[in-house]
């Protein structure tokens, strides 16, 4: 009986190391050929999170206006967040051997790190044969691209308002085909453009269309 009580007491004192752990998912992305060359997105179960990008050493295009490093709080939709964390709670999804090692085009390294009361799991991959994990990687790249596009819109509004027309056309197309995801992350700049009389009417109209998509 004494041994049993000691074992129970030991379990009680060991468990709290993770019992109070904050549930979160961190995604680190890197591709030195792109601008930005890397970014980190931290997401919590309520959809709140933080995004930070690093521009890297690649020289920016003389045609495209590239935003500076982004460092901001974000809010993702409840539906998207619930889908992500339901997948993360699947114990075998973040396997250390999640990289396929197949001869495929380099897409950038994605490192997923999930932590919670049950501990921490992580894996890093360029391409994964697990369709769900590969799909989540693509989805978060789409989210990151959306946030970066939002920063670009802010820059264009301040320095090149005429450039907003073509950029909004691109966002409209890319948000339709999945290259951009979670327009709710750039709701602020879209609302600013939708009500700004100093920009083209077509820009304002496209901003209203995108805001409607952000609500879905």
């Amino acid at each position: 009986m004494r041994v049993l009580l000691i074992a129970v007491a030991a379990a009680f004192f060991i468990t709290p190391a993770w019992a109070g752990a904050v549930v979160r998912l961190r995604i680190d992305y890197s591709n030195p050929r792109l601008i930005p060359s890397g970014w980190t997105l931290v997401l919590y179960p309520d959809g709140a999170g933080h995004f930070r990008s690093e521009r890297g050493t690649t020289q920016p295009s003389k045609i495209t206006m590239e935003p500076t490093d982004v460092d901001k709080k974000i809010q993702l939709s409840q539906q998207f967040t619930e889908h992500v964390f339901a997948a993360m709670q699947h114990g075998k999804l973040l396997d250390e051997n999640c990289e396929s090692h197949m001869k495929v085009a380099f897409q950038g390294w994605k490192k997923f790190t999930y932590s919670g009361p049950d501990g921490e799991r992580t894996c890093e991959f360029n391409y994964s044969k697990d369709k769900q994990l590969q799909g989540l990687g693509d989805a978060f790249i789409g989210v990151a691209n959306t946030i970066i596009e939002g920063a670009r819109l802010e820059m264009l509004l301040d320095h090149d308002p005429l450039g907003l027309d073509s950029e909004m056309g691109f966002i409209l197309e890319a948000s339709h085909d999945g290259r951009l995801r979670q327009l709710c992350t750039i709701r602020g700049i879209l609302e600013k453009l939708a009500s700004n009389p100093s920009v083209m009417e077509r820009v304002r109209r496209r901003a209203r269309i995108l805001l409607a998509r952000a609500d879905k």
Side-chain angles (χ1 to χ4, degrees), residues 22-43:
V22 175
V23 177
R24 74 169 197 171
L25 174 65
R26 171 175 171 143
I27 304 96
D28 294 281
Y29 177 85
S30 63
N31 186 338
R33 292 177 288 187
L34 299 181
I35 300 177
S37 64
W39 51 260
T40 298
L41 192 157
V42 177
L43 180 64

Side-chain angles (χ1 to χ4, degrees), residues 143-199:
V143 173
N145 287 341
T146 299
I147 298 169
I148 294 164
E149 275 299 321
R152 184 175 287 113
L153 290 177
E154 294 276 8
M155 183 175 288
L156 288 171
L157 179 60
D158 291 338
H159 303 288
D160 182 19
L162 292 178
L164 287 167
D165 186 35
S166 61
E167 200 66 29
M168 291 293 280
F170 165 74
I171 295 175
L172 203 62
E173 179 183 312
S175 63
H176 182 72
D177 62 26
R179 284 174 290 167
L180 299 183
R181 314 276 185 101
Q182 292 292 292
L183 291 171
C184 54
T185 57
I186 60 169
R187 186 185 301 277
I189 180 60
L190 293 178
E191 290 176 341
K192 191 185 298 186
L193 293 174
S195 60
N196 192 331
S198 67
V199 301

Side-chain angles (χ1 to χ4, degrees), residues 74-103:
I74 58 171
Q75 182 69 43
L76 274 61
S77 72
Q78 181 179 355
Q79 182 179 13
F80 180 83
T81 305
E82 287 178 353
H83 168 71
V84 168
F85 279 95
M88 290 300 108
Q89 288 164 4
H90 189 286
K92 294 183 179 179
L93 183 64
L94 297 187
D95 189 316
E96 291 182 357
N97 298 316
C98 61
E99 165 58 35
S100 69
H101 300 290
M102 295 173 63
K103 292 183 179 180

Side-chain angles (χ1 to χ4, degrees), residues 26 28 38-41 50-54 70-72:
R26 171 175 171 143
D28 294 281
W39 51 260
T40 298
L41 192 157
H50 189 271
F51 180 85
R52 181 174 58 84
S53 68
E54 294 183 1
V70 179
D71 189 348
K72 63 177 293 186

